[in-house]
DNA sequence: GGGCATTGTTCTTATATTGTGAACGACGTT
DNA sequence: AACGTCGTTCACAATATAAGAACAATGCCC
């Protein structure tokens, strides 16, 4: 077997592995990095030199070890502007946050996680701090549920087979059957809830955002501390969140029905 | 000259170029991308296959063209957590925003741009929308000025020689001499101003954030519309911004003097 | 202070991968 | 129906690659 006919580039995969490893650790030396990746020191060294030449990593002059620069963040952030989603959603989210007094979030599904790409914080002093960018397991959040409910059945089946439903709090749905039920419910009601399934003390309502074809491309949510959001308030808010999701969808060119 | 002894990896550089090009355009086909990069179609195709295999790009099933996923954003965002800066600065910025009623920003210098890594928006309805991530030319912002003022003289000289001072508004400082003067002033006062130099109608005050060695690693700022921030208010606010910068610095282990 | 074990970097080499150009099938248009 | 264009695959020569050994510099421990 001559084994030519390459469909992927090992060098590139290695470079990406270097970036990801560097992202998960704060700072690493060449030897340390090589050990983690199972490669030779000199190979890693050359990859680092390449990445440094392009401005993606740098050597900390103090410790003589390598770390990521902010360039990856800069380049990655532009991916966030797909469809102009952020710009279109921004004003709607401002209003949603003002009306509800809570934090409004915009998120998308990336593999098994929900990635927050925009948030508007409410005026309350007590606020739960959720970082943009850092993903959260989809099955444990309201946003994740509306996004999963928007997948077509085959993709959802594959998703459910492929991902472990890790437990984040005592209330996290870690079994497939209850999660499936929750997703069906989300689909029929047009919104999903998260009752401290992701973080204790945090409740959340989310609604889907659809593009002109009707496909769910993102979700909007409102989240806040349980004390301020008893069950009744949560369901009342759902209408507002759904309206916000619909408005963003309309701006994206969605022309389908307003009811699920 | 045998010319072996490679210090960089062309394949990796090409892959990064693909990512950057894809980031600057929304969606591109293989041929289009190959033309932009001046490479063969098949090379680009293999790179895309590799990047897709790692989850960094995907093919839009509608248009059959390639686009970035959000993974680059996810990985890049973790770079944002260097020093735990965001976590340490968060509460201080919350307070700064609450006290001033305006938007508080945290930024770092990346090449010739200031990258915003965290912001806390004020309660006012009239707000200027500045995205996180997307960089802004350093010479035209208050944050940029404190960060440049924190460079050591050699680095600053190199920076000034290397970068074009592009004009963003009629007030932008596009000459080196006035910029140098502004930087000296920022260094002696401990804060910098931006009077509609970046965007018309936007004013800004910024102060440096220092690590335990005293090096400027970031900046905090408060920004708002000119109508709410007359010159007098701006200078009054400077004290608060400086105090916030100092507090974050202290949390980072800075033990130097509080005055510049 | 001298020796020992790290570290980051450079060199060399066989080998596997890369970039290229051409050819293929599939669409959409003229 | 023929054409242009697209994404994909193929084959091959040229070249970059990954690995291991050797280097100097640094820090550490006895």
């Amino acid at each position: 077997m001559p084994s030519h006919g390459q469909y992927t580039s090992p060098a590139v995969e290695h470079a990406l592995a270097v970036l990801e490893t560097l992202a998960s650790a704060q700072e690493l030396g060449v030897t340390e990095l090589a050990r983690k990746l199972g490669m030779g020191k000199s190979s890693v060294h050359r990859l680092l030199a390449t990445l440094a030449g392009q401005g993606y990593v740098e050597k900390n002059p103090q410790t003589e070890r390598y770390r990521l620069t902010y360039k990856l963040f800069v380049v990655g952030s532009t991916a966030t502007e797909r469809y102009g989603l952020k710009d279109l959603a921004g004003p709607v989210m401002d209003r949603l946050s003002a009306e509800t007094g809570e934090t409004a979030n915009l998120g998308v599904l990336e593999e098994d996680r929900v990635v927050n790409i925009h948030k508007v914080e409410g005026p309350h002093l007590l606020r739960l701090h959720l970082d943009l960018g850092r993903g959260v397991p989809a099955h444990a959040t309201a946003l994740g549920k509306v996004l999963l409910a928007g997948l077509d059945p085959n993709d959802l089946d594959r998703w459910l087979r492929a991902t472990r439903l890790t437990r984040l709090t005592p209330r996290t749905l870690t079994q497939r059957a209850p999660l499936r039920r929750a997703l069906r419910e989300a689909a029929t009601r047009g919104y999903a809830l998260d009752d401290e399934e992701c973080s204790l003390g945090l409740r959340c309502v989310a609604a889907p955002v659809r593009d002109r074809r009707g496909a769910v491309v993102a979700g909007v949510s409102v989240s806040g501390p349980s004390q301020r959001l008893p069950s009744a308030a949560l369901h009342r808010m759902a209408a507002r969140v759904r309206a916000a999701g619909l408005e963003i969808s309309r701006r994206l060119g969605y022309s389908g029905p307003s009811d699920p």
Side-chain angles (χ1 to χ4, degrees), chain A residues 111-180:
Chain A
E111 317 241 305
D112 61 335
R113 309 180 90 77
V114 173
V115 181
N116 264 44
I117 59 176
H118 189 48
K119 81 173 167 191
V120 177
E121 302 197 312
H124 281 298
L125 287 174
L126 172 58
R127 276 197 316 240
L128 305 210
H129 197 60
L130 255 185
D131 272 342
L132 258 55
R134 191 167 15 205
V136 179
H139 67 284
T141 66
L143 272 177
K145 287 182 204 163
V146 292
L147 294 170
L148 290 173
L151 254 38
D152 68 50
N154 295 335
D155 288 345
L156 177 59
D157 286 344
R158 225 172 318 123
W159 193 93
L160 282 169
R161 251 181 283 119
T163 81
R164 281 197 57 224
L165 305 177
T166 51
R167 152 154 282 129
L168 297 179
T169 77
R171 312 185 99 125
T172 308
L173 302 180
T174 58
Q175 300 293 325
R176 283 177 205 166
L179 180 58
R180 275 209 132 100

Side-chain angles (χ1 to χ4, degrees), chain A residues 3 13 21 24-25 28 36-37 49 51 55 59 88 98 116-117 145 151-152 156 161 173 195 212 243 247 254:
Chain A
S3 102
E13 290 178 356
T21 309
S24 66
L28 292 172
K36 272 181 193 267
L37 294 167
L51 293 171
K59 209 168 23 172
L88 291 180
N116 264 44
I117 59 176
K145 287 182 204 163
L151 254 38
D152 68 50
L156 177 59
R161 251 181 283 119
L173 302 180
D195 182 12
R212 70 207 92 223
E247 183 173 352
Y254 173 67

Side-chain angles (χ1 to χ4, degrees), chain A residues 19-31:
Chain A
L19 288 177
E20 289 173 25
T21 309
L22 229 35
S24 66
Q26 292 287 23
E27 254 189 33
L28 292 172
V30 175
T31 311

Side-chain angles (χ1 to χ4, degrees), chain A residues 212-257:
Chain A
R212 70 207 92 223
R213 286 164 32 244
V216 176
V217 293
V220 237
S221 75
V222 160
S223 58
S226 307
Q227 299 92 313
R228 278 206 301 270
L229 298 175
S231 182
L234 215 59
H235 281 87
R236 245 182 290 120
M237 249 177 211
R240 290 198 174 290
V241 178
R242 275 189 54 200
L246 186 63
E247 183 173 352
I248 301 171
S249 302
R250 295 280 183 234
R251 295 189 181 204
L252 277 173
Y254 173 67
S255 53

Side-chain angles (χ1 to χ4, degrees), chain A residues 34-197:
Chain A
R35 209 183 3 250
K36 272 181 193 267
L37 294 167
M39 310 176 51
K41 278 198 299 182
S42 49
S43 305
V44 173
H45 184 262
R46 180 156 31 83
L47 290 173
L48 285 171
T50 307
L51 293 171
Q54 302 299 312
Y56 286 88
V57 308
E58 67 187 358
K59 209 168 23 172
N60 182 346
Q62 284 305 106
T63 62
E64 288 284 312
R65 302 198 300 172
Y66 287 88
R67 63 184 177 193
L68 290 182
T69 66
Y70 292 95
K71 181 162 182 181
L72 204 61
F73 176 60
V74 175
V75 176
S77 292
T78 71
T80 270
E81 285 152 31
R82 204 194 287 176
Y83 311 118
L85 205 61
K86 249 164 73 177
D87 293 338
L88 291 180
V92 179
M93 292 170 65
D94 286 347
R95 210 152 0 102
L96 183 61
S97 170
E99 286 174 358
T100 61
E102 302 292 347
T103 299
N105 306 282
L106 183 71
V108 297
L109 190 63
E110 179 68 28
E111 317 241 305
D112 61 335
R113 309 180 90 77
V114 173
V115 181
N116 264 44
I117 59 176
H118 189 48
K119 81 173 167 191
V120 177
E121 302 197 312
H124 281 298
L125 287 174
L126 172 58
R127 276 197 316 240
L128 305 210
H129 197 60
L130 255 185
D131 272 342
L132 258 55
R134 191 167 15 205
V136 179
H139 67 284
T141 66
L143 272 177
K145 287 182 204 163
V146 292
L147 294 170
L148 290 173
L151 254 38
D152 68 50
N154 295 335
D155 288 345
L156 177 59
D157 286 344
R158 225 172 318 123
W159 193 93
L160 282 169
R161 251 181 283 119
T163 81
R164 281 197 57 224
L165 305 177
T166 51
R167 152 154 282 129
L168 297 179
T169 77
R171 312 185 99 125
T172 308
L173 302 180
T174 58
Q175 300 293 325
R176 283 177 205 166
L179 180 58
R180 275 209 132 100
R181 221 172 10 252
L183 296 181
R184 263 196 304 274
E185 198 180 25
T188 61
R189 291 198 301 202
Y191 66 90
L193 298 179
D194 155 19
D195 182 12
E196 309 200 347
E197 296 159 37

Side-chain angles (χ1 to χ4, degrees), chain A residues 202-216:
Chain A
L202 178 70
R203 290 211 176 112
C204 200
V205 208
V209 171
R210 300 172 186 277
D211 66 6
R212 70 207 92 223
R213 286 164 32 244
V216 176

